[in-house]
Amino acid sequence: MVAHLQWGGMDCVELAHIWETPLYVLDEGIIRSRCAEIRSDFLGRWAKTWACYASKAFLTTGMACIVDQEGLGLDVVSGGELYTAIRAGFPPYRIKMHGSAKSERELRLALASGVGSIIVDGLMELELLDALAGEVRRPPDRRERPRIVLRVAPGVDPHTHSFLITGQTGGKFGLPLEDGEGSLLSEAVRFALSSKSITLGGFHFHVGSQIFENHAHVEAVRRMVVCMERMQKTFGFKTRELNFGGGFGVPASPDKPHVPLRFFTDAMMGVLTEECEARNLERPYVTIEPGRWLVSDAGITLYTVETVKRLDGVTYVGVDGGMADNPRPSLYGAEYCAIVANRPDDPPAGKVVIAGRCCETGDILIRDVELPAVTRGDILAVFNTGAYNFSMASNYNRLPRPAVVLVRDGWADLLVARQTWDDMLSGDSIPERLLR
Ligand SMILES: Cc1ncc(COP(=O)(O)O)c(C=O)c1O
């Protein structure tokens, strides 16, 4: 009998037959082992630390339950993510509300649900939040007020795709880490400290995503300590919380070794401790927010091969999904690896291009991958699709979103049902005047 690719103890070909393709498959065991690594190598190793999963990477109510059971917090960036967490019963005090352009409705929901903190991205948001929080009578004790953290752009270069850099100055995120009185950041700190409705806890930065070196993270910490010292001297403000964000990279190929969390966190915590000591500052509480690192390599996507074409010496393998279920290759050239799940041990027959089915020339999932001879009906498994695939999926070309299945030790359960064509039509309405 031909061996098939196994994932979480399940036969991938069987999964494809039961749930059809494209199909996202997540190995719960890998997700839980990443959570365990966070506990042992970060929370257990460094005092006064906390970790939130950046749920934008992948969030469903089931995923929120796993994160809750693992004792971590949740970073959400929208009303939709917050609502998902609340519906899953996630404890609100362990939620951090992010977002670079939060609406009033989202801020009201965050306040009403009692999230642990709100990460404020700019002055206008700060003023709005202060006004909204002020609508409710607050006890005089600052600790009882909604807690905020200011997002800062530390201005470091993390050496990743330009679309994935978020901590540069001149970008759209946060308040620039400029020196001196009169800077936007100083203005925000002054405003927050004078507020009677909210409490300033500290600062947040996120240098970018899919980063494999730790220099940028470390440099950002150094710059933040200088900022903390300045804020203490200028305003007498002691930073109680410093949020390091996420961005810890995951290699595209499952053959490459997993990047240990400690590679980033030990370097950052070491510098933070040293710099705080050198400047006589109390070391603040530290939070990290890994997204991709926690979930990316737990996920694979199964596709069925629909067509194989040889054109001008290039073999195109056309599959039944593409940029609608994984926009990352066409958006910013993200790289992936694949194998033939129904014949994983067959010898390679040459390089092919895996083409998505969407009506865009740029819908190429993988530009260059060595595969055995492939034919219609074969099942392809693309690795490392656990992060930013389901969460970035669209209905382009009116393709229904694939199902998500959670596998573990030979069990498979549905996390999200496949959309049907009728699901896609459920929001459509035909104005009366168009009906004949
Ligand atoms: C504020 C913040 N925190 C955490 C993350 C998670 O990043 P990653 O998935 O690269 O760890 C992001 C991603 O954009 C982010 O913007």
Side-chain angles (χ1 to χ4, degrees):
M1 208 173 99
V2 185
H4 294 159
L5 174 69
Q6 305 288 306
W7 202 249
M10 288 297 296
D11 182 318
C12 288
V13 177
E14 222 175 287
L15 291 174
H17 287 155
I18 298 170
W19 275 291
E20 301 176 6
T21 56
L23 181 69
Y24 300 115
V25 187
L26 275 181
D27 182 341
E28 185 183 340
I30 297 180
I31 297 173
R32 290 195 187 269
S33 73
R34 296 286 178 268
C35 296
E37 187 176 331
I38 291 175
R39 285 195 302 272
S40 63
D41 289 11
F42 180 60
L43 303 179
R45 191 168 156 71
W46 299 94
K48 297 206 298 181
T49 47
W50 175 235
C52 291
Y53 165 60
S55 70
K56 72 200 73 170
F58 173 79
L59 184 65
T60 68
T61 45
M63 180 66 189
C65 291
I66 296 177
V67 178
D68 182 18
Q69 286 170 9
E70 293 292 332
L72 304 182
L74 206 64
D75 138 8
V76 300
V77 287
S78 68
E81 286 184 358
L82 177 55
Y83 184 68
T84 306
I86 293 168
R87 286 289 300 269
F90 199 92
Y93 68 91
R94 284 205 261 132
I95 298 177
K96 291 190 184 288
M97 179 75 184
H98 276 269
S100 58
K102 303 176 193 75
S103 67
E104 180 175 328
R105 182 173 173 220
E106 288 173 321
L107 287 172
R108 282 188 189 281
L109 180 62
L111 288 170
S113 22
V115 297
S117 60
I118 299 176
I119 289 76
V120 173
D121 195 84
L123 268 177
M124 207 177 265
E125 179 190 333
L126 183 58
E127 286 164 9
L128 174 60
L129 183 61
D130 177 55
L132 298 177
E135 287 174 3
V136 180
R137 269 178 73 87
R138 303 276 166 201
D141 186 346
R142 280 187 170 271
R143 285 169 304 186
E144 302 292 321
R145 299 179 196 161
R147 188 181 170 95
I148 68 145
V149 166
L150 293 172
R151 179 162 180 171
V152 173
V156 292
D157 179 2
H159 301 132
T160 186
H161 191 286
S162 62
F163 285 14
L164 301 179
I165 300 176
T166 57
Q168 77 273 49
T169 30
K172 71 171 185 175
F173 295 105
L175 295 152
L177 189 62
E178 290 156 3
D179 258 344
E181 273 290 293
S183 73
L184 285 176
L185 183 58
S186 297
E187 222 182 301
V189 171
R190 185 179 293 110
F191 183 96
L193 292 177
S194 65
S195 166
K196 303 235 171 328
S197 313
I198 50 179
T199 296
L200 177 63
F203 303 100
H204 168 282
F205 69 84
H206 171 73
V207 292
S209 255
Q210 193 60 332
I211 298 165
F212 292 94
E213 299 165 358
N214 57 21
H215 308 110
H217 282 91
V218 167
E219 180 54 25
V221 172
R222 268 189 224 287
R223 292 186 188 190
M224 288 311 303
V225 179
V226 175
C227 166
M228 283 160 43
E229 186 183 37
R230 181 158 53 86
M231 293 306 169
Q232 189 161 325
K233 281 190 180 144
T234 315
F235 300 107
F237 173 66
K238 285 190 183 164
T239 303
R240 283 182 295 277
E241 177 181 347
L242 185 59
N243 188 322
F244 290 172
F248 318 132
V250 180
S253 160
D255 300 334
K256 293 220 173 112
H258 155 72
V259 183
L261 187 67
R262 278 179 61 172
F263 171 67
F264 295 98
T265 49
D266 277 5
M268 287 191 281
M269 292 303 291
V271 165
L272 178 67
T273 311
E274 271 169 33
E275 293 287 325
C276 284
E277 272 170 20
R279 290 163 196 274
N280 212 10
L281 298 172
E282 193 180 323
R283 201 265 268 163
Y285 219 93
V286 172
T287 305
I288 55 166
E289 295 171 340
R292 180 193 317 276
W293 184 90
L294 194 137
V295 78
S296 179
D297 52 8
I300 58 171
T301 307
L302 301 177
Y303 298 99
T304 302
V305 174
E306 299 291 6
T307 178
V308 181
K309 278 190 206 167
R310 190 148 176 88
L311 300 171
D312 295 332
V314 179
T315 304
Y316 286 92
V317 175
V319 295
D320 58 353
M323 65 191 293
D325 60 80
N326 182 3
R328 298 188 64 251
S330 47
L331 200 56
Y332 39 69
E335 289 177 3
Y336 286 92
C337 271
I339 64 168
V340 180
N342 49 315
R343 291 180 284 110
D345 298 326
D346 275 15
K351 290 200 166 157
V352 302
V353 174
I354 301 190
R357 59 165 296 168
C358 291
C359 300
E360 293 285 325
T361 309
D363 184 17
I364 299 293
L365 283 176
I366 308 181
R367 295 215 164 261
D368 194 9
V369 59
E370 190 94 47
L371 287 185
V374 184
T375 187
R376 184 175 163 82
D378 276 333
I379 305 292
L380 284 192
V382 174
F383 292 98
N384 267 324
T385 59
Y388 303 107
N389 274 228
F390 171 76
S391 55
M392 291 175 97
S394 75
N395 287 130
Y396 181 46
N397 286 173
R398 285 246 143 169
L399 296 173
R401 285 195 179 82
V404 187
V405 170
L406 187 70
V407 290
R408 186 178 185 182
D409 301 333
W411 284 94
D413 296 287
L414 203 57
L415 276 188
V416 184
R418 178 177 304 283
Q419 268 188 330
T420 63
W421 288 339
D422 279 324
D423 290 336
M424 283 191 297
L425 294 191
S426 64
D428 282 25
S429 88
I430 304 180
E432 189 95 30
R433 65 194 161 75
L434 299 183
L435 293 169
R436 277 191 278 150

